[in-house]
Amino acid sequence: MVILKTILNILPQKEPFVFVDEIVDYQRRDFLITMKRFTTNDSMLRNQINKYIPKTLIIEGATQSIIILKRLNDDCINFHGFMLIGKLKAEFFKEVSIGDSIYYHVGKLRLYNDLGSAVVNVILEKENIGEVSVFFKIMNSEL
């Protein structure tokens, strides 16, 4: 299990914009499972009016999980390039509430030079509650 401090070194995003708390499982070139606990301590949720997590935060966690898998696979944890999303499709079947822990399962990462695609399943209490499909381009320099 890899904790938040290591994740902060891998991701280009910094707090409070990090939506992955830990790496639960990882198999090189095969899959990655990450986890996010949504609590009232999350700065993005402090002024939340209702108990449901905005889908955009869940999608951001899914894309961050893709970045983590890509960087772990390439042994380029300190790489400072960035990923541009070309197309994203997300579908959710159940709401996520404050207090829930969700798991992101990245199992279909395909890379073609600087282009890629990935599918992330969103899991809550061992139930698949959503899927995020992403097509992206990797840029090798800072903006």
Side-chain angles (χ1 to χ4, degrees):
M1 178 170 55
V2 178
I3 56 172
L4 184 59
K5 184 177 179 181
T6 304
I7 292 168
L8 290 172
N9 289 332
I10 296 171
L11 288 174
Q13 293 88 345
K14 300 300 172 216
E15 289 288 353
F17 302 104
V18 174
F19 297 101
V20 174
D21 290 336
E22 63 186 63
I23 297 171
V24 176
D25 200 1
Y26 165 68
Q27 179 68 44
R28 186 174 178 86
R29 306 250 184 254
D30 191 21
F31 72 91
L32 171 77
I33 300 173
T34 61
M35 191 268 299
K36 172 64 181 162
R37 285 181 204 88
F38 289 101
T39 70
T40 54
N41 293 331
D42 290 319
S43 61
M44 294 294 212
L45 301 175
R46 284 193 188 125
N47 297 320
Q48 184 76 6
I49 295 171
N50 64 37
K51 66 178 186 172
Y52 298 117
I53 306 302
K55 303 292 190 292
T56 54
L57 301 184
I58 298 171
I59 292 168
E60 180 64 24
T63 58
Q64 289 177 9
S65 296
I66 295 168
I67 293 169
I68 293 169
L69 179 57
K70 168 74 170 96
R71 289 186 173 183
L72 289 175
N73 282 345
D74 291 350
D75 295 321
C76 61
I77 290 172
N78 294 316
F79 174 68
H80 295 289
F82 57 94
M83 179 175 78
L84 296 175
I85 295 176
K87 182 179 179 184
L88 183 138
K89 177 185 174 191
E91 184 175 14
F92 297 97
F93 317 112
K94 187 174 180 181
E95 295 290 339
V96 176
S97 301
I98 293 175
D100 286 341
S101 294
I102 61 171
Y103 294 84
Y104 298 107
H105 186 276
V106 186
K108 296 178 184 174
L109 177 64
R110 292 184 177 86
L111 299 169
Y112 314 97
N113 297 320
D114 61 347
L115 300 175
S117 68
V119 175
V120 181
N121 289 305
V122 182
I123 311 295
L124 174 66
E125 298 174 357
K126 299 182 180 180
E127 178 185 355
N128 186 9
I129 62 156
E131 182 177 282
V132 179
S133 301
V134 181
F135 296 90
F136 57 88
K137 179 175 178 61
I138 300 166
M139 306 296 288
N140 292 318
S141 62
E142 297 292 330
L143 282 175

